[in-house]
Amino acid sequence: MDWSKIKTIFILTFLILDVYLLFQFMKIRDADQYEFITEASFEEKLEAEEIRYKELPKAPIEDQYLSAKPKMFTKDDITKLKGQTALIKEPTTALIVKLDKPISLKTKFEAAELTPFIKDNVLYGSQYKFWKKDDKKNTIVYFQHYENMTLYENLSGMLTFQIDDHNQIVSYEQTYLEDIAKMTEKEEILPPLKALETLHQKGALMPKSKITKVELGYSTLIQLAASQALAPTWRFVVDDKESLYVNALEGQIIEFNSDGN
């Protein structure tokens, strides 16, 4: 046995392996550098266009798709309403209720005014969050939330108070999503900066605009008569006025029929 030849073969083998590993390392390093350069250039674009944003939620964040179904309100639900009268017959997915005694509002409305009433008198009241007061429609809107995350613009999880000409709440309409369950395993979602980049690439961000709020919630991905699928969704509030939404798992921009505020 020629030990000299065997030794030479081993040396050459390890040398080839070292070269291969070095080549793979250089590829990974170059890819990381390219990704960093790409991200930095986007931030430079924002700076050049004077688009400012608050501190973004830190990645990585994991979330998942949810399933839910609209609740059918029945006679048993209606009998729980005190000092209120249901204006439609059951069963129904939209409960319309008239208050026996209207609620007077302050000239400058604050959401805290309605908190005690909602908590004590509205079915599942603790599961709704204030969304907006619409002076044109004379309404105050609340959306249902799940695990402290808002179900954005979801007509099946909504509480809408009607205000009369005397600045009093006289009635409300309620919808509610029940049996909310996790559809998939958790996975890492799109970082908020990447979602912001999607909005920028599509021309949704105007120069000199300011992102005043960034939060994560859910929006309807698929809606059927008896159920719906919900997707994790980034919400970016621009200049305290307009809301822009991006699917946090798939990355596409979401547009609603109504304006989010």
Side-chain angles (χ1 to χ4, degrees):
M1 184 177 292
D2 192 338
W3 291 107
S4 178
K5 287 185 177 181
I6 293 174
K7 182 178 179 182
T8 301
I9 291 172
F10 270 111
I11 292 173
L12 289 174
T13 300
F14 282 112
L15 181 61
I16 292 171
L17 179 61
D18 287 342
V19 171
Y20 173 77
L21 292 175
L22 178 61
F23 175 71
Q24 292 298 319
F25 170 76
M26 294 297 289
K27 281 180 63 179
I28 293 172
R29 190 192 66 173
D30 290 344
D32 289 343
Q33 287 181 341
Y34 176 75
E35 184 176 347
F36 173 77
I37 292 170
T38 302
E39 183 173 297
S41 64
F42 170 59
E43 291 179 325
E44 289 171 359
K45 285 181 182 179
L46 294 182
E47 186 175 352
E49 295 178 22
E50 298 183 48
I51 297 175
R52 297 168 293 161
Y53 56 88
K54 285 190 170 185
E55 183 178 355
L56 300 175
K58 296 187 183 299
I61 302 174
E62 293 186 337
D63 211 326
Q64 61 213 138
Y65 291 104
L66 303 176
S67 63
K69 67 178 185 179
K71 175 179 173 56
M72 296 293 295
F73 292 98
T74 66
K75 184 177 180 180
D76 289 340
D77 295 310
I78 293 174
T79 56
K80 297 175 184 177
L81 301 173
K82 305 302 180 183
Q84 308 169 72
T85 304
L87 302 180
I88 54 177
K89 296 180 180 179
E90 54 85 27
T92 178
T93 57
L95 192 61
I96 299 176
V97 178
K98 180 181 179 181
L99 304 187
D100 295 346
K101 183 180 179 181
I103 300 174
S104 296
L105 299 176
K106 296 178 182 178
T107 304
K108 187 176 181 181
F109 173 76
E110 295 181 3
E113 290 182 57
L114 284 179
T115 300
F117 175 82
I118 295 173
K119 181 180 178 182
D120 297 335
N121 298 279
V122 175
L123 299 173
Y124 314 104
S126 63
Q127 297 183 40
Y128 293 88
K129 278 186 175 180
F130 173 74
W131 185 251
K132 67 177 179 179
K133 184 176 184 289
D134 191 326
D135 293 326
K136 292 182 179 180
K137 296 181 179 179
N138 286 329
T139 59
I140 300 173
V141 178
Y142 287 72
F143 281 122
Q144 191 176 338
H145 64 92
Y146 173 76
E147 293 187 348
N148 208 36
M149 294 166 65
T150 303
L151 308 185
Y152 299 128
E153 301 289 344
N154 198 314
L155 300 182
S156 297
M158 192 172 180
L159 187 62
T160 306
F161 290 96
Q162 190 67 45
I163 306 171
D164 68 7
D165 295 335
H166 303 290
N167 202 33
Q168 295 179 320
I169 291 177
V170 292
S171 63
Y172 66 86
E173 180 175 344
Q174 179 182 11
T175 55
Y176 179 74
L177 284 169
E178 63 181 0
D179 297 338
I180 300 178
K182 298 173 176 61
M183 286 182 62
T184 59
E185 294 296 323
K186 282 191 173 184
E187 57 183 293
E188 189 172 324
I189 66 172
L190 195 69
L193 189 61
K194 287 294 183 183
L196 201 59
E197 186 172 6
T198 298
L199 292 171
H200 183 267
Q201 289 174 345
K202 298 296 183 180
L205 289 177
M206 296 295 102
K208 297 186 178 181
S209 59
K210 182 179 180 181
I211 310 300
T212 51
K213 186 175 184 179
V214 181
E215 63 178 7
L216 188 64
Y218 293 96
S219 63
T220 303
L221 180 67
I222 301 171
Q223 184 162 357
L224 304 174
S227 64
Q228 59 179 260
L230 306 172
T233 301
W234 284 115
R235 177 193 178 213
F236 298 90
V237 181
V238 183
D239 297 323
D240 287 323
K241 296 177 181 178
E242 181 186 13
S243 289
L244 303 174
Y245 302 89
V246 177
N247 184 309
L249 284 173
E250 299 177 18
Q252 74 269 28
I253 296 175
I254 300 169
E255 295 182 356
F256 297 105
N257 291 329
S258 58
D259 294 329
N261 290 310

